[in-house]
Amino acid sequence: MTSAQSTLSIFALGGINEIGKNMYVIQYADEIILVDCGVKFADKSLLGIDVIIPEFTYIEENRDKVIGCIVTHGHEDHIGGIPYLLNKFNIPIFASRFTLGLIELKLKEHKLLRDAQLTEITADSRLEFGKMAVTFFKTSHSIPDCLGLVFHTPEGKVVHTGDFKFDLTPVNDQSSDIHKMAAIGQEGVLALISESTNAERPGNTPSESLVANQLEQQFLQATGKIFISTFASNVNRIQQIIEAASKTNRKLLFLGRSMKSVTSVAIKLGYLKLPSWMLIEIEDLRELPPERIVIVCTGSQGEPLAALSRLSTGSNRDIKVIQGDTVIFAASPIPGNEKDVSKIVDNLFQLGANVVYGNSSITGLHVSGHGYQGDLKLMLTLMQPKYFIPVHGEYRMLHIHRLLAEAVGVEKGHTFILKNGDVVDIFGQVARQTRAVAAGDSYVDGIGTGEVGDIVLRDRKRLSEDGMLVIVVTISKLDGSILTDPDTISRGFVYARDAEQLINDINELAKTAVLKFNEANPFAMKKAVKKVVDQYIYTLTKKSPIILPIVIEI
């Protein structure tokens, strides 16, 4: 490969062949610019894991080359990992006004705000670094102040779209700057990095403004209190809820930690227009009739600890869903969350609520913030890139996005479908993919990051499925003879009183294994006990509990 001193490299530490934990790297010579640092929420197979963030090995190895991190917008999969990044590397962060407000909130929680280097940028900003400069353009999405990025490098321009759609009638009046995009394309784009979330969906993404009328109709028909659940970060949707509540003479309560946090930032910075008389607190509920109340809450994806989940089980001490109340889901279930959402819907029906739920095409209460095929093709047509890198999607989405690119003029063979860590090197305006860097998942478990690996997760899975056996043997320190018979404790495997014979057999096996030794050798004894008991239990029960032998020397 040509010397790295004159090579432009593009790759991702997260976010290419997945939806979540976005983190991209643009490197020219000894300058590295990061784009976004997000999280991905753990599924149920990752027991005890809160979130997943990108692996920072490459950043650690190249710390002195990192100029900063530029953030495209304020969704969790783009900013959620920033506190963990800054906890290790205090690098400058560049973001738009609203995005910066959300980042500050996170850094304050992690006690990192005081030392953070935060710089506000706009669509008109220009950041000048040594060999690279960065300019910006406005895009539409489901959150305010979204930016596309243009990297000006000695090799040519690299454009990163961020998450986008083309909404000609946006709720927040933040339209995509199509003229600026076209001008960038006319000047020449060497490589385009573009999101692929909705690459499978034909047509164009509907406008957010279409939801407003449907929301108002639902509010007019609603009985009792209205509970409406949506993404806390969907400020545009929340503004529509505010307007529907105003038109139907209802007051508003925000419920849920993330909902309160995001809306407080949005109100403070002027992104939510909410009359002061409309906003109420929990203690005000007793003084208002049910038909005057709207409660906006988190939990539209069935999250077990979110506000709506707690309401559906009656575990919220202050607020109850009762017969005749109305519950509205103003978000479609993300694939994989359908079962959790269905459970909450069932619970709400059992409480006597009228529940409005289902796919957005049926309810009309949600539109995507990500571009459909028509939007993706328009972006490609405007930018006219020589090379194309589809990101932010599973493999099939990236593949379909490549076909869309070729349909609008990108030359075959000039699209790179990558994995996280795969590097596209460009020298002399010729791109090749021949190498990879370290890129993987880092698990956040409570306050710890990186301490939980695959082995720990495998043990947790075994514990959850087959339980654990603790076998205690006391031996003489002098000659290794058994002083007391083995004692087996079962946790999550069998109930000892109901499996007395099995426990006795395990004790006898452990005793026989230890008696084979002529001297005290605790390490070898534990290994022998574990082996013989493990084989016996699997043969008998086809289960593999974690076996923990303890040899005590006296």
Side-chain angles (χ1 to χ4, degrees), residues 36-303:
D36 295 339
C37 182
V39 298
K40 184 165 71 173
F41 294 100
D43 60 35
K44 292 180 179 178
S45 67
L46 299 175
L47 300 167
I49 300 302
D50 298 321
V51 293
I52 306 165
I53 61 174
E55 181 186 338
F56 295 148
T57 302
Y58 187 82
I59 301 171
E60 182 82 57
E61 294 171 349
N62 296 273
R63 171 65 186 89
D64 295 338
K65 299 176 183 178
V66 178
I67 296 169
C69 178
I70 303 174
V71 185
T72 59
H73 65 284
H75 278 147
E76 281 293 308
D77 57 336
H78 296 262
I79 69 168
I82 289 176
Y84 307 101
L85 176 70
L86 295 191
N87 193 43
K88 290 192 171 187
F89 322 97
N90 189 17
I91 61 177
I93 303 292
F94 303 88
S96 61
R97 186 165 175 256
F98 183 64
T99 305
L100 215 56
L102 297 178
I103 292 171
E104 287 174 353
L105 201 66
K106 289 185 170 297
L107 296 181
K108 188 175 182 180
E109 291 175 0
H110 286 256
K111 296 180 172 57
L112 295 169
L113 182 57
R114 188 177 65 177
D115 298 325
Q117 306 171 59
L118 306 178
T119 301
E120 184 179 319
I121 55 176
T122 70
D124 298 320
S125 297
R126 182 180 177 92
L127 302 177
E128 293 280 358
F129 303 112
K131 299 179 181 69
M132 290 191 283
V134 187
T135 57
F136 308 89
F137 56 91
K138 287 194 296 184
T139 59
S140 295
H141 190 38
S142 56
I143 192 170
D145 281 4
C146 299
L147 296 173
L149 317 180
V150 185
F151 295 87
H152 302 260
T153 79
E155 283 288 332
K157 291 188 183 69
V158 176
V159 174
H160 190 302
T161 66
D163 291 359
F164 75 95
K165 68 176 181 179
F166 289 97
D167 191 340
L168 301 181
T169 55
V171 172
N172 57 12
D173 297 324
Q174 293 189 356
S175 300
S176 300
D177 195 339
I178 296 176
H179 296 293
K180 193 170 186 178
M181 295 180 200
I184 294 165
Q186 287 295 320
E187 293 167 2
V189 172
L190 176 63
L192 175 67
I193 306 166
S194 183
E195 71 133 324
S196 312
T197 311
N198 277 335
E200 297 172 289
R201 304 178 74 168
N204 294 86
T205 310
S207 171
E208 180 71 27
S209 62
L210 296 177
V211 176
N213 289 336
Q214 190 60 36
L215 267 175
E216 188 176 334
Q217 287 303 311
Q218 291 293 342
F219 275 41
L220 287 169
Q221 298 167 15
T223 59
K225 299 188 294 293
I226 294 178
F227 296 85
I228 184 163
S229 183
T230 189
F231 295 107
S233 60
N234 195 337
V235 175
N236 300 342
R237 184 71 41 74
I238 294 169
Q239 183 64 58
Q240 292 176 313
I241 293 169
I242 291 169
E243 291 167 5
S246 177
K247 290 178 181 178
T248 54
N249 197 28
R250 288 179 181 260
K251 295 195 174 186
L252 212 64
L253 171 71
F254 293 119
L255 186 64
R257 185 167 171 267
S258 61
M259 183 64 72
K260 287 183 175 180
S261 298
V262 173
T263 52
S264 67
V265 171
I267 291 169
K268 179 182 177 182
L269 297 179
Y271 292 91
L272 272 181
K273 298 176 178 62
L274 176 64
S276 57
W277 64 264
M278 281 189 69
L279 190 60
I280 59 173
E281 298 297 334
I282 287 176
E283 52 268 23
D284 301 321
L285 292 177
R286 297 189 191 94
E287 301 173 10
L288 290 169
E291 61 273 12
R292 292 286 312 283
I293 297 169
V294 176
I295 297 169
V296 188
C297 60
T298 54
S300 63
Q301 299 305 307
E303 305 96 314

Side-chain angles (χ1 to χ4, degrees), residues 381-428:
T381 302
L382 291 169
M383 292 300 173
Q384 305 174 56
K386 180 177 181 180
Y387 294 105
F388 177 51
I389 303 173
V391 299
H392 203 298
E394 295 166 4
Y395 185 88
R396 65 185 185 281
M397 302 169 188
L398 308 183
H399 172 73
I400 292 170
H401 204 173
R402 171 174 60 187
L403 299 179
L404 296 175
E406 291 173 356
V408 297
V410 175
E411 187 176 329
K412 285 189 176 183
H414 280 205
T415 296
F416 294 91
I417 296 184
L418 309 174
K419 297 184 181 70
N420 292 325
D422 288 350
V423 181
V424 173
D425 289 311
I426 304 177
F427 177 74

Side-chain angles (χ1 to χ4, degrees), residues 33 35 39 64 70 103 196 256 309 348 358 390 434 462 471 518 529:
I33 300 175
V35 179
V39 298
D64 295 338
I70 303 174
I103 292 171
S196 312
S309 178
L348 291 167
T434 59
R462 286 179 64 190
I471 305 170
N518 297 319
V529 169

